[in-house]
């Protein structure tokens, strides 16, 4: 389009640059404004031509078009044509200071309500960061009249918290399995003095060997009426990235002798796999998936987008070969799920530490789940799931546990610092305490604004409105103290 102006795209032009006027002329020419183009099509044509320019030149091009418009477009059409050009320019991905220049330009060419309405719509849509009022000219003279003081009585809300609930912590650091827990398969404690020092151990679910599956099952039912929050650290390390570990919840009526995990491999001990049944009376399974199979629909796992390595995925309840539908999952996490090819457990004070917090809140008979994961002991905490509805009615009680598994690919899978508590609820108490607030009402009588002439028209900028300040009483903020998690 602008082959006659080589190099124009490489600099930001001033109004004084002599190359701008021929560019504007070329824009008008290409838009057909010297022909019999209907007026309602002119703005679209102009916008298209200006849109071909480098983005940093569009404001200057619009401004030059405004200056030259009177010679090409009849006066009665200038405002409507250029208003639409300006609206198009504001909708583009311009920096805020360029948008500011466009709005100032808009007030120079139009003083009608249509412009005000257009800018307000753009402000409401979030295209204008600043308020429309900030672009209007400042008042030169303003007279104020103060009215008598008004006393206002406003009730104050006092927010109180309910009593803190008990946090149950489970210590896997020693040689003894905590009360209520059952370990099976390849699961064991490492704080035996051989793998780790006594008091410094972890719950190990699988070794760095092929075809392993180990689980830890807590046989004590938890009430679900107020919701539940689970926290734990985990570490997957030492192998070549397989398969993963699962945090699970099952119906609290499930007896220990009736419980069975799901299949090994990509099923992560939760879902079925070909001829192997899934976990008994399962309510939800959250897979921390290194190899990616938990999100895949093959091998008897229902639903899912396909293999996603280094991801976290959620599957619903099931029993035997029924259920376990894919609910949701993350994309591949750049921080990774595991640390491969290392010979020692990753440093838990450094960037390889992983901490997980899972909250289930009851709402209309279902649990809504949120999951946060911290990458590194002092690293960023990311919310991977927020208010995710878990299908199915919530049982009166639930039991929970962990399962880790390998297949052709392997890793050591471990868990520590496990805790559970009821979700904290806050009770609001309202006391109507009269509070006297003095409010002074100010009325704006008249404002005289500066007039500014443009080639298109001579206009007066509309006066800024002065609103009386409203009395405002802020309630005191709720203060909720969260129990401090015990560290091992």
């Amino acid at each position: 389009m602008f082959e006659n102006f080589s190099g124009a795209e490489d600099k930001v032009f001033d109004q004084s640059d002599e190359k701008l006027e021929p560019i504007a002329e070329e824009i008008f020419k290409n838009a057909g404004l010297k022909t019999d183009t209907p007026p309602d099509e002119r703005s679209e044509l102009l916008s298209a031509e200006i849109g071909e320019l480098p983005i940093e030149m569009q404001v200057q091009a619009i401004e030059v078009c405004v200056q030259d418009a009177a010679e090409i477009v009849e006066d009665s059409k200038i405002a409507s044509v250029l208003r639409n050009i300006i609206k198009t320019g504001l909708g583009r991905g311009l920096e805020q200071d360029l948008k500011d220049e466009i709005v100032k330009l808009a007030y120079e060419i139009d003083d009608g309500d249509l412009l005000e309405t257009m800018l307000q719509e753009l402000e409401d849509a979030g295209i204008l960061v600043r308020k429309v009022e900030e672009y209007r000219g400042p008042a030169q003279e303003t007279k104020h009249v103060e009215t008598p003081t008004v006393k206002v009585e406003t009730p104050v809300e006092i927010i109180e918290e309910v009593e803190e609930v008990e946090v149950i912590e489970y210590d896997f650091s020693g040689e003894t399995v905590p009360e209520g827990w059952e370990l099976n398969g390849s699961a064991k404690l490492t704080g035996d003095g051989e793998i780790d020092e006594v008091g410094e151990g972890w719950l190990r679910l699988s070794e760095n060997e092929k075809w392993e599956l180990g689980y830890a099952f807590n046989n004590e039912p938890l009430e679900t009426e107020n919701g539940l929050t689970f926290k734990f650290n985990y570490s997957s390390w030492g192998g070549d990235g397989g398969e993963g570990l699962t945090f699970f919840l099952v119906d609290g009526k499930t007896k220990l002798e009736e419980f069975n995990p799901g299949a090994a491999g990509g099923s992560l001990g939760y879902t079925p796999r070909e001829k192997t049944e899934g976990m008994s009376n399962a309510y939800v399974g959250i897979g921390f998936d290194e190899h990616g199979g938990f999100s895949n629909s093959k091998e008897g796992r229902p639903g899912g987008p396909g293999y996603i390595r280094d991801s976290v995925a959620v599957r619903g309840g099931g029993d035997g070969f029924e259920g376990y539908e894919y609910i949701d999952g993350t994309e591949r996490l750049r921080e990774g799920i595991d640390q491969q090819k290392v010979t020692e457990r990753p440093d838990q004070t450094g960037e390889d530490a992983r901490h997980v917090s899972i909250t289930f809140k009851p709402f209309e008979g279902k649990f809504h789940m949120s999951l946060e994961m911290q990458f590194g002991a002092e690293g960023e905490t990311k919310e991977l799931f927020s208010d995710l509805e878990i299908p199915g009615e919530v049982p009166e009680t639930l039991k929970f546990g962990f399962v880790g598994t390998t297949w052709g690919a392997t890793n050591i899978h471990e868990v520590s610092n496990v805790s559970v508590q009821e979700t904290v609820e806050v009770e609001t108490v309202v006391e109507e305490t009269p509070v006297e607030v003095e409010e002074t009402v100010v009325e704006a009588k008249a404002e005289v604004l500066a007039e500014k002439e443009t080639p298109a028209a001579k206009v007066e900028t509309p006066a800024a409105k002065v609103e009386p300040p409203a009395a405002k009483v802020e309630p005191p903020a709720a203060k909720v103290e969260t129990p401090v998690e015990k560290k091992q």
Side-chain angles (χ1 to χ4, degrees), residues 85-368:
I85 298 173
I86 290 166
K87 185 173 182 178
T88 302
L90 290 173
R92 300 185 189 281
L94 301 173
E95 297 294 334
Q96 185 57 38
D97 58 343
L98 297 183
K99 290 184 179 181
D100 290 347
E101 291 299 320
I102 290 179
V103 178
K104 292 176 184 177
L105 178 62
Y107 276 111
E108 292 180 358
I109 66 166
D110 191 296
D111 64 337
D113 292 337
L114 288 177
L115 176 61
E116 286 283 319
T117 302
M118 179 196 80
L119 294 176
Q120 190 63 54
E121 290 173 356
L122 293 171
E123 177 187 322
D124 294 342
I127 295 175
L128 294 181
V129 176
R130 301 179 182 175
K131 299 293 184 182
V132 171
E133 289 79 5
E134 294 180 38
Y135 294 106
R136 298 193 184 103
Q140 301 297 319
E141 179 183 348
T142 305
K143 296 180 181 180
H144 299 280
V145 178
E146 294 190 0
T147 62
T149 300
V150 179
K151 290 186 177 180
V152 181
E153 291 188 354
T154 307
V156 176
E157 283 190 352
I158 298 178
I159 302 178
E160 297 179 351
E161 63 176 275
V162 297
E163 294 183 2
E164 296 178 358
V165 296
E166 179 185 6
V167 178
I168 305 173
E169 299 178 334
Y170 303 97
D171 184 5
F172 294 103
S173 65
E175 299 176 280
T176 305
V177 177
E179 183 178 354
W181 286 85
E182 176 75 13
L183 307 189
N184 210 321
S186 56
K188 64 182 179 182
L189 301 181
T190 66
D192 55 4
E194 296 182 8
I195 301 176
D196 291 314
E197 296 294 329
V198 177
E200 299 180 3
W202 288 56
L203 167 60
R204 180 170 292 184
L205 301 168
S206 75
E207 297 286 354
N208 189 19
E209 303 289 343
K210 294 182 178 181
W211 331 122
E212 289 212 337
L213 185 149
Y215 68 86
F217 178 70
N218 186 309
N219 196 36
E220 297 178 346
L222 301 168
E223 300 288 338
T224 61
E225 181 180 3
N226 296 322
L228 295 165
T229 296
F230 299 88
K231 296 181 180 181
F232 58 90
N233 296 340
Y234 85 87
S235 186
S236 298
W237 60 280
D240 53 0
E243 291 283 336
L245 65 90
T246 298
F247 167 86
F248 63 81
L249 294 174
V250 300
D251 192 318
K253 296 179 181 179
T254 306
K255 297 180 180 179
L256 179 60
E257 57 271 21
E258 297 174 346
F259 176 78
N260 288 299
S267 295
L268 298 190
Y270 185 74
T271 69
R273 180 189 177 106
E274 297 174 347
K275 296 182 179 181
T276 303
E277 292 185 350
M279 183 173 288
S280 307
N281 302 321
Y283 173 69
V284 67
I286 303 171
F288 297 81
D289 193 3
E290 300 136 29
H291 198 258
F294 199 61
S295 296
N296 190 25
S297 60
K298 294 183 178 180
E299 302 173 330
R301 294 182 289 273
Y307 280 96
I308 304 179
R309 294 179 180 270
D310 290 319
S311 64
V312 180
V314 184
R315 287 187 176 271
D319 188 60
F321 292 102
E322 300 296 326
Y324 312 98
E325 290 288 342
Y326 180 89
I327 301 175
D328 199 2
T330 69
E331 299 295 329
R332 185 167 187 170
L333 300 172
R334 62 179 179 82
E335 297 87 352
I337 292 294
D338 61 343
Q339 290 80 43
Q340 301 177 19
K341 306 296 184 181
V342 295
T343 57
E344 295 182 352
R345 182 183 298 119
D347 180 11
Q348 296 304 299
T349 64
E351 62 181 11
D352 293 330
R354 297 289 183 267
H355 176 73
V356 178
S357 176
I358 309 172
T359 297
F360 296 91
K361 292 184 178 181
F363 181 72
E364 296 183 348
K366 298 183 185 297
F367 262 165
H368 286 236

Side-chain angles (χ1 to χ4, degrees), residues 23-53:
I23 289 177
E25 183 178 347
E26 187 79 0
I27 289 172
F28 277 92
K29 178 181 177 182
N30 290 340
L33 295 184
K34 290 185 177 179
T35 67
D36 295 329
T37 306
D40 58 348
E41 296 181 15
R42 289 173 176 159
S43 60
E44 295 183 8
L45 291 168
L46 276 173
S47 297
E49 293 299 323
I50 292 174
E52 295 292 326
L53 287 170

Side-chain angles (χ1 to χ4, degrees), residues 335-443:
E335 297 87 352
I337 292 294
D338 61 343
Q339 290 80 43
Q340 301 177 19
K341 306 296 184 181
V342 295
T343 57
E344 295 182 352
R345 182 183 298 119
D347 180 11
Q348 296 304 299
T349 64
E351 62 181 11
D352 293 330
R354 297 289 183 267
H355 176 73
V356 178
S357 176
I358 309 172
T359 297
F360 296 91
K361 292 184 178 181
F363 181 72
E364 296 183 348
K366 298 183 185 297
F367 262 165
H368 286 236
M369 185 200 80
S370 297
L371 187 151
E372 294 181 342
M373 190 166 172
Q374 183 178 10
F375 296 89
E378 299 181 359
E380 179 183 5
T381 297
K382 290 188 174 182
E383 187 175 57
L384 303 186
F385 301 96
S386 177
D387 198 33
L388 178 66
E389 183 178 295
I390 306 302
E393 184 178 352
V394 182
E396 292 182 1
T397 62
L398 289 168
K399 296 179 180 179
F400 79 102
F402 303 89
V403 56
T405 179
T406 65
W407 199 250
T410 66
N411 261 333
I412 293 172
H413 299 100
E414 299 178 320
V415 175
S416 70
N417 292 342
V418 179
S419 70
V420 61
Q421 70 177 78
E422 291 184 6
T423 302
V424 177
E425 297 291 337
V426 177
E427 178 184 359
T428 302
V429 179
V430 179
E431 295 184 2
E432 293 192 0
T433 304
V435 177
E436 290 190 355
V437 179
E438 291 190 350
E439 178 186 88
T440 301
V441 181
V442 179
E443 296 180 353

